[in-house]
Amino acid sequence: MMRTHYCGQVTEALEGQQVTVSGWVHRRRDHGGVIFIDLRDREGLVQIVVNPDDAEKFAKAEKVRSEYVLKVIGQVTARVPETINERMATGKIEIVASDIEVLSVSAPIPFQLDDKTISEEVRLTYRYLDLRREEMQYAMKTRYKVTRSMRRYLDDKGFMDMETPILTKSTPEGARDYLVPSRTHLNKFFALPQSPQLFKQLLMMSGFDRYYQITRCFRDEDLRADRQPEFTQLDIETSFMSEAEVMDLMEGLAKTIFREGVDVHFDYEFPRMTYADAISKYGIDRPDLRIKMELVDVADLLQDIDFKVFAAPAKDPMGRVAALRVPQGGKMTRKEIDDYTKFVSIYGAKGLAYIKVNDLAAGIEGLQSPIVKFFPDQVMEILARVGAQDGDLVFFGADKAKIVNEALGALRCKIGEDLGLIEQEWAPVWVVDFPMFEMDEKQARLTAVHHPFTQPKATTEEILNHTAPHQMLAKAYDLVINGIEVGGGSVRIHDTNMQAAVFKLLGISDEDANEKFGFLLNALKYGCPPHAGMAFGLDRLVMLMIKRESIRDVIAFPKTQSAACLLTEAPGIVDDQQLIDLDLRFRKPAVPKS
Amino acid sequence: MMRTHYCGQVTEALEGQQVTVSGWVHRRRDHGGVIFIDLRDREGLVQIVVNPDDAEKFAKAEKVRSEYVLKVIGQVTARVPETINERMATGKIEIVASDIEVLSVSAPIPFQLDDKTISEEVRLTYRYLDLRREEMQYAMKTRYKVTRSMRRYLDDKGFMDMETPILTKSTPEGARDYLVPSRTHLNKFFALPQSPQLFKQLLMMSGFDRYYQITRCFRDEDLRADRQPEFTQLDIETSFMSEAEVMDLMEGLAKTIFREGVDVHFDYEFPRMTYADAISKYGIDRPDLRIKMELVDVADLLQDIDFKVFAAPAKDPMGRVAALRVPQGGKMTRKEIDDYTKFVSIYGAKGLAYIKVNDLAAGIEGLQSPIVKFFPDQVMEILARVGAQDGDLVFFGADKAKIVNEALGALRCKIGEDLGLIEQEWAPVWVVDFPMFEMDEKQARLTAVHHPFTQPKATTEEILNHTAPHQMLAKAYDLVINGIEVGGGSVRIHDTNMQAAVFKLLGISDEDANEKFGFLLNALKYGCPPHAGMAFGLDRLVMLMIKRESIRDVIAFPKTQSAACLLTEAPGIVDDQQLIDLDLRFRKPAVPKS
């Protein structure tokens, strides 16, 4: 028996008992002829005391170094009052060792576990050591608590955990697939799934009624910050439930995992906001509602002024002129305003006009701004509309709506953080009534905002005869928390004719549709139940819950941003024979084997 | 609200209440001007009665066909006594419909759900319909019950569900890897994992102490009966537990899932048998103990006879001569014996000698056999040794031990089934003390029976100085039920020197070892805890539990034996541009796109 208790669970309740603990040497100190060892395991640290009463035992303890693995038998003993450590669960006791066994030695480790300055490259190369750090232990434990909590919640609601294939066919998400060459079917490839979308819909058609899976998804995306080639999704699908019922179900799930995972209690209904409102007030479909500032439209007041920078977008149906009031922003320096101007230029904004409100009562004289001279007659009404008060600053965006939304939307969050305007720790919100389609301007055709199996808020008749399909709404919903899209879902089309109408609007030919997802379209013919579903991005969700900056910090063995594993050195070079077996060769000569 | 109750759960307890049910039309009958519909959902069937009281409702019901999806509102009403169906959970009631809504129509389905003669090809092509069949619903529900039960059992024991990568590097299982070309690292490939073996060991080195995962594994094997390119494994690993503790833990798990999954109660300890005993008595390391017949060695009695067929293998150290007594097998016809002779030839046996025991008391005269004349002096002792009784038949195998074991081992099971000699429904057994190495005769070198990280029952010193390494035992264990290997595991090496010694015996150079699993060898240096683990093959286990013949019957979307998906037509042809992006081309011209 290598253990009677975890190190971190040996407390004063065990005083006087003999225990056996096993773990890693976290620290060793010699003090007054006695050796003290902090022994560490998954549950925490405990102090081991080795007295010089037995020469052999003491000699073993003297040889012990950091990260050695020991088994210690000893008696739980109260510490003397002056050495009690109230911050440790085991801080009132120590284990007086009667026997020590070195189970494994350790070479000096390449970095100290409590060193916070280690580069991510080193951490990922020695991931097995990095994972010993308290913060990584916490991250992985919380991730596990969250998935366990999700499973139990869904089990209790009658959902069945079911597996779908990993070696499969391209799915319609639109990102690039990872391909897997087949030795049995030469010149053909499996694709790794971007999601189980089609399979979970098939499971509904098979009558399983309520499905869930915590499953790996794959996207061979161009490298962007904080994406992983493989990521994990909680995926659900249900038959015979409405949009509102699915949202209620998943809101309950979100509340449960926050409560059980990180002890956060949401004792209110999550607000629901339309996509149109989100864009109008926050410039974005995943608003961070911890920050109260809002974008306010002022175009109607500025259409007839001479100042073209404002008047032109104010008159443009695709344009937008919006104001963003920064409470007590009047203290901002010229330098700070310049920096924000540079910041919004990332989003294509050509400038960042502002008004400092020094003294409202003094009228236009009480304002400080390079632009008020262009609309002296309108400025007070604008300030009234945004609710400006003395000491505030008001920023303006005027351009194509897309640019204004992105620029002011991002500025709003940045200022919110910079000026400490985050007013609550957690701000969940449902965003609903998404548009069904969007115009792909490059290709001048409609694309599906969610995916082409999403049900529009319209009948088949209305879809076919719609005069402005880009205004059609979808039965789609996203859950957003603190500006992060935690999950999204939709009601699916369960009618062959409606599906055909949507494909027609999307310009997808029957032939194309059949080649890509003919099996789903076939299945639709044989009695398809109304069904709907949702997926939560697990990595991002856990990252949000424990307030980490990167999803790599909540994945045990992540890839780097260049989609490589520093630990295993994957991807790697393969033998020529393996390629021959697959009937493949490189177009260019292979890089030399290093 | 599309449902207040599942169809299958509307019982007499709800009599008099109004309910709403939704589901598929399983059957429709018109009888005496009334329409009866059996409506089906995940939980079962309920009878809907549509009276001709309302013309519109009745007209709707008349249009209904098999597999239409309906929503029905109606009152739960007791059936008249003569129409009660005791075999149905809902057989005492019917729902008198007040409103019917057709949610989806269905084209005539290509086969009847209760037709048992449908080919597997059709079933897999229309898997979404096949899955509606009661037996497939039962299979998938049981599979879910089993995984849920596994998870809860391990959760309760402090195991943490943790994810390991799917896009990774080759692992050391030895089967062929599926490769995934990388667009970001041209000319390099990820491999899909054959198991999470190395990662789970790293998690132990990271201090997570107890890990589990129900995870997908991949092997690009040559096509054999009942293998899948992707399969699912319950994978566990634990630190600081002995071989015996891991076996106890997993025996508890097996008992729990049998109890909770299929209501089978094992109220005894699983027997434990050494590998040597299993081979000796059953010819195989996964003995089917439902059958009591055993192989009995008789070589010692036959070494000096003139009959070379027996004497030569009896004297050969690599040979074996064994007898298999078939109780009351004397009734076997010549034709049956010929068929068994053909059967053992599959395993390389050159013949199948036998003795029919007609009358033991009559001595050699009471025997019927083409061979007893060759060893008249030994035959009675042989019969005594195998416990022969009047009416029995005794088969003999004499050849290289490998051939005798495989032939008589398989014959034993075949006869057991043919003659109804299966004496119990379930026969679990632990097989332990596996050899650490086996001799690969083609390559004339040792290979690891389990894998090279398994701990031998020897010290590093003993490993290095062993004179007969193929006799060395490993701390490895398999759980076998009814002759099926349900799972296997081992204690791992946690010491760098021992690992090096094993690699040396296996003829793996330092360079090779480092290239293949250098990260694991590195990790071993920094304080590796003693650890051990096990994996259960989920597909095969569930197949066994519900007594199906193929693992395809317990996988929602399986591949065929030629590793293709008939439903989605994966693997498929990809665009040239996708290959260009991966810097790949075919060696031979691609097959034309059909």
Side-chain angles (χ1 to χ4, degrees), chain A residues 182-215:
Chain A
S182 160
R183 194 167 53 91
T184 335
H185 302 271
L186 285 183
N187 301 1
K188 293 191 176 183
F189 292 79
F190 292 105
L192 303 181
Q194 296 183 36
S195 86
Q197 182 64 33
L198 300 184
F199 288 107
K200 69 176 178 170
Q201 291 193 234
L202 289 175
L203 288 175
M204 294 303 103
M205 301 179 203
S206 300
F208 288 104
D209 205 75
R210 299 184 176 193
Y211 144 96
Y212 80 92
Q213 192 180 193
I214 296 178
T215 189

Side-chain angles (χ1 to χ4, degrees), chain A residues 3 6 104 132 143-144 155 163 176 183 185 189 205 209 220 232 528 559 562 572 581 584 587, chain B residues 3 6 104 132 143-144 155 163 167 176 183 185 189 205 209 220 232 528 562 572 581 584 587:
Chain A
R3 167 197 288 149
Y6 279 109
S104 273
R132 289 184 189 170
R143 185 182 174 112
Y144 162 58
D155 289 343
E163 296 179 77
R176 203 181 298 251
R183 194 167 53 91
H185 302 271
F189 292 79
M205 301 179 203
D209 205 75
D220 186 8
T232 303
C528 175
K559 310 282 188 296
S562 67
D581 289 347
L584 289 175
R587 287 171 183 261
Chain B
R3 167 197 288 149
Y6 279 109
S104 273
R132 288 184 191 171
R143 185 181 175 114
Y144 162 58
D155 289 343
E163 295 178 77
L167 292 172
R176 203 182 297 251
R183 194 166 52 91
H185 302 270
F189 292 79
M205 301 178 202
D209 203 74
D220 187 8
T232 303
C528 176
S562 67
D581 290 347
L584 289 175
R587 287 169 183 262

Side-chain angles (χ1 to χ4, degrees), chain A residues 196-248:
Chain A
Q197 182 64 33
L198 300 184
F199 288 107
K200 69 176 178 170
Q201 291 193 234
L202 289 175
L203 288 175
M204 294 303 103
M205 301 179 203
S206 300
F208 288 104
D209 205 75
R210 299 184 176 193
Y211 144 96
Y212 80 92
Q213 192 180 193
I214 296 178
T215 189
R216 215 70 57 81
C217 302
F218 304 86
R219 295 189 187 183
D220 186 8
E221 288 182 301
D222 291 320
L223 305 170
R224 271 197 273 170
D226 226 22
R227 294 281 178 113
Q228 288 280 313
E230 54 183 308
F231 56 95
T232 303
Q233 192 163 293
L234 166 68
D235 195 47
I236 75 131
E237 194 79 8
T238 168
S239 299
F240 305 116
M241 269 198 206
S242 67
E243 185 176 356
E245 286 170 314
V246 174
M247 289 166 68
D248 284 347

